[in-house]
Amino acid sequence: MNNIKLLSIAINKIIEIKGTDCFKNATIFCAILDDLVPQLVTERKIFRRVINDKMLEELGELKNIEESKSDYSWSKIERKLKDEYGLREEWSHIITQSFLEAYKQNINGGSKKTGAENKCMKQKNSEILHYAEEDKQINIWAEYKEQSQELQGKEEIKVAVMGIGGAGLNFINRMENQFPGIDFIGVNTDKQELQLCRAQKLLLVGEKITLGLGTRAKYEIAEKAFEEDEHKIKVLLKGIDILFIICGIGGGTGAGGTPVVTNIAKQMGILTIAIVMKPFRFEVRMRHQNASHSFEQLKKSAGMVIAISNDVSLEVVDAKTTMPDALKMIDEVSCQTIKGIINSINYNSIKNISFEELRRIMTRGEVAYVGNGTAKGNDKIEEALDNALNSPWLEKLTYNVSKVFIHLSGNIMQSDIEKAKCYIQEQVGDINIIASACYEENKYNEVSIVLIVFEKDEKYNIKSSVKLNDFKLPDFLKKF
């Protein structure tokens, strides 16, 4: 059964249940449509974007027999959808034909329908469930909620973001308002610094060892401090399914404490993704030794290690950029990466992946680099991918690439996902590509892409792909 047929049956059912009142409120109309055909994710999102109260009223006026048989009237609506709402011709046609077919069923069939047309449809896995009784038609909302719980199989996946050390706490303070509904946890060995963090949960570790004064940039002290309070860390992590850890690995707390946390999380069965900031190339050797040690330890215990080089921030700023603005650029990359991964398992997405599949992809301790891209227009997919593949944050693309994870969001269609996968394979070769996508109606003709490139056997390297001689240092770094 094609999508127009499914939509038309659903619209006909709405008319039967609500009568002419269904044409008075677009929000209610689309909510009922969501319940009747939950499997048509893209179509429902398109409907929500264009079916406002005015458009719904116009479509309702065409319900009488004379208007329904008028090709001119339907063509007029179809043109309006294309011209005023910017819909592609195929989607304008799907919407108008769905209503036209629904009116034909309602007018010609009356109360006597065929077996297929007399049943509301829901989807459970690949099976279509049929609902024919009148009382079930009226109570569709409650019943679909129950089916949704069965589909999910468990409560909503719990995600938390933990900031460790100074860099991690600063990320939380600058970005916590970007993630509504997600727990933020701040962990540090410096009591004064911790008190300034805006996370919902705070933990001072190793107070007996550090006296709340920090680790003096020594990762060995941080390791002992975190091990001392292992039981407290376990309490904080209880019930979490996915843990994102943000930290710098040049200092002591981030370098020494983060591997301890990832090891505890691994033992508790938590999928842990560590997003680590590597120190600037010109920083003292001790910070790079810390980073190198932490990098290797994280590969053993974290599900995935996403490496972000501070050096790259020098490439994307000018000489007058302030330090807070430069750091915010690094935060934005981390923020978009977290959002892309979280949205990839959102069951409301056009194409999602299961939590178990995400766990399978990201539990091997592989090192990855990220690139982000945004574009508008007819060639938005190719342009956004070019921007992501050439992103300075990606640093490099080499023959060591093992797989690529990609998440698309914006004004996209199902075909755009395959287009993106093929385009990436043309650029980096025939490798495994994991793709997900979600439709965002507020992004007209625009797409944003998060690209995560996994590298085989990546080792910590002080040398960066960024050439410092190619640009002037920002003013805030000249004093170092």
Side-chain angles (χ1 to χ4, degrees):
M1 193 177 290
N2 62 40
N3 292 358
I4 292 179
K5 187 68 172 176
L6 287 173
L7 285 167
S8 66
I9 294 173
I11 293 169
N12 184 29
K13 283 299 174 186
I14 296 174
I15 297 170
E16 286 186 349
I17 296 169
K18 302 289 292 182
T20 56
D21 288 344
C22 72
F23 299 110
K24 295 180 180 179
N25 191 311
T27 302
I28 294 175
F29 182 91
C30 290
I32 298 175
L33 190 68
D34 287 348
D35 294 324
L36 290 171
V37 282
Q39 66 269 37
L40 301 183
V41 177
T42 306
E43 288 79 359
R44 290 188 290 105
K45 289 180 177 178
I46 294 290
F47 266 67
R48 280 190 174 278
R49 174 184 153 195
V50 301
I51 304 298
N52 54 31
D53 289 347
K54 183 179 178 181
M55 175 58 69
L56 188 61
E57 185 179 353
E58 287 187 45
L59 288 164
E61 289 174 356
L62 298 181
K63 185 179 177 298
N64 64 71
I65 296 175
E66 290 77 21
E67 290 289 341
S68 294
K69 289 182 177 179
S70 170
D71 291 337
Y72 171 76
S73 298
W74 289 103
S75 298
K76 185 178 177 182
I77 291 288
E78 193 166 329
R79 284 197 302 273
K80 187 171 184 177
L81 288 168
K82 286 191 291 184
D83 297 339
E84 293 189 18
Y85 293 91
L87 278 187
R88 294 182 184 179
E89 186 173 347
E90 59 180 304
W91 285 110
S92 303
H93 179 72
I94 286 173
I95 289 175
T96 52
Q97 288 302 305
S98 298
F99 275 91
L100 177 58
E101 289 295 324
Y103 294 163
K104 287 180 179 179
Q105 294 168 28
N106 191 264
I107 293 164
N108 298 331
S111 60
K112 296 180 181 179
K113 307 285 192 301
T114 65
E117 291 173 336
N118 196 36
K119 297 176 181 179
C120 297
M121 288 162 294
K122 292 183 180 181
Q123 187 180 35
K124 181 179 179 181
N125 299 328
S126 61
E127 178 186 5
I128 300 295
L129 303 179
H130 299 287
Y131 291 82
E133 296 89 346
E134 192 67 26
D135 60 332
K136 287 190 176 181
Q137 292 175 359
I138 295 171
N139 292 295
I140 282 171
W141 182 267
E143 291 190 12
Y144 180 60
K145 289 291 183 183
E146 184 178 341
Q147 293 293 336
S148 294
Q149 291 175 1
E150 292 179 18
L151 277 170
Q152 293 173 43
K154 62 164 284 181
E155 294 181 359
E156 187 177 349
I157 293 169
K158 187 175 180 181
V159 180
V161 176
M162 177 182 284
I164 297 180
L169 300 188
N170 288 334
F171 172 85
I172 291 177
N173 289 340
R174 288 188 290 262
M175 290 290 160
E176 51 94 19
N177 62 339
Q178 298 289 321
F179 299 93
I182 290 180
D183 286 343
F184 278 83
I185 304 169
V187 183
N188 206 356
T189 55
D190 187 320
K191 186 175 183 178
Q192 185 174 1
E193 196 171 35
L194 186 66
Q195 289 172 338
L196 299 175
C197 182
R198 294 201 293 264
Q200 298 98 322
K201 300 176 182 178
L202 300 175
L203 177 62
L204 178 65
V205 293
E207 192 170 10
K208 292 179 182 178
I209 297 174
T210 68
L211 302 178
L213 299 175
T215 62
R216 305 190 302 278
K218 296 181 179 180
Y219 71 80
E220 301 93 341
I221 296 176
E223 287 176 353
K224 293 178 181 178
F226 276 72
E227 288 168 357
E228 175 190 304
D229 287 324
E230 180 178 339
H231 62 290
K232 294 181 182 179
I233 296 170
K234 287 182 177 179
V235 172
L236 278 179
L237 298 182
K238 187 176 180 181
I240 294 173
D241 296 297
I242 304 177
L243 177 66
F244 291 93
I245 297 179
I246 312 292
C247 67
I249 54 174
T253 301
T258 304
V260 176
V261 175
T262 55
N263 191 50
I264 294 171
K266 183 179 181 180
Q267 293 171 9
M268 296 175 68
I270 300 170
L271 172 57
T272 308
I273 299 166
I275 303 178
V276 302
M277 272 71 82
K278 300 191 295 183
F280 290 104
R281 186 171 63 181
F282 51 76
E283 293 191 65
V284 296
R285 175 170 289 276
M286 180 181 179
R287 294 183 67 81
H288 286 285
Q289 289 174 340
N290 288 347
S292 179
H293 170 82
S294 184
F295 201 71
E296 295 305 315
Q297 294 301 311
L298 286 169
K299 286 164 60 179
K300 298 174 184 177
S301 54
M304 177 175 68
V305 183
I306 296 178
I308 297 178
S309 173
N310 284 343
D311 278 344
V312 178
S313 66
L314 303 181
E315 184 179 354
V316 296
V317 301
D318 57 38
K320 294 184 179 180
T321 301
T322 64
M323 187 171 187
D325 288 340
L327 293 175
K328 191 173 181 180
M329 291 181 182
I330 298 175
D331 291 340
E332 285 289 348
V333 176
S334 303
C335 182
Q336 293 303 318
T337 303
I338 294 172
K339 284 183 177 179
I341 295 172
I342 292 174
N343 289 336
S344 72
I345 57 173
N346 186 340
Y347 67 92
N348 287 324
S349 296
I350 294 175
K351 178 177 174 58
N352 62 1
I353 59 178
S354 68
F355 173 56
E356 289 306 316
E357 185 178 1
L358 186 71
R359 181 187 291 276
R360 180 183 60 79
I361 296 166
M362 299 183 177
T363 53
R364 300 180 181 179
E366 291 178 291
V367 177
Y369 295 86
V370 296
N372 300 330
T374 301
K376 296 181 180 180
N378 295 332
D379 298 324
K380 58 182 180 290
I381 298 297
E382 292 86 349
E383 290 179 12
L385 280 171
D386 277 338
N387 292 337
L389 288 166
N390 292 298
S391 168
W393 302 104
L394 198 57
E395 287 200 74
K396 56 185 177 178
L397 278 176
T398 72
Y399 62 89
N400 280 327
V401 173
S402 61
K403 59 177 174 278
V404 172
F405 170 90
I406 179 174
H407 179 75
L408 299 86
S409 60
N411 185 252
I412 54 177
M413 303 301 168
Q414 189 74 32
S415 59
D416 291 332
I417 302 170
E418 291 305 315
K419 184 190 294 184
K421 292 172 70 173
C422 292
Y423 191 82
I424 292 173
Q425 285 182 330
E426 290 176 2
Q427 304 299 316
V428 299
D430 188 15
I431 59 173
N432 184 25
I433 298 174
I434 305 97
S436 65
C438 64
Y439 183 87
E440 295 182 12
E441 59 185 357
N442 61 330
K443 289 186 176 181
Y444 174 67
N445 206 22
E446 181 181 350
V447 65
S448 296
I449 288 176
V450 174
L451 195 68
I452 302 178
V453 178
F454 294 77
E455 294 251 313
K456 298 177 183 176
D457 304 322
E458 178 70 2
K459 297 185 182 298
Y460 181 81
N461 190 353
I462 293 178
K463 293 182 180 180
S464 169
S465 58
V466 181
K467 296 179 180 179
L468 297 180
N469 293 330
D470 291 344
F471 50 84
K472 296 180 180 179
L473 286 178
D475 292 338
F476 71 82
L477 286 174
K478 290 180 179 178
K479 62 182 178 181
F480 291 102

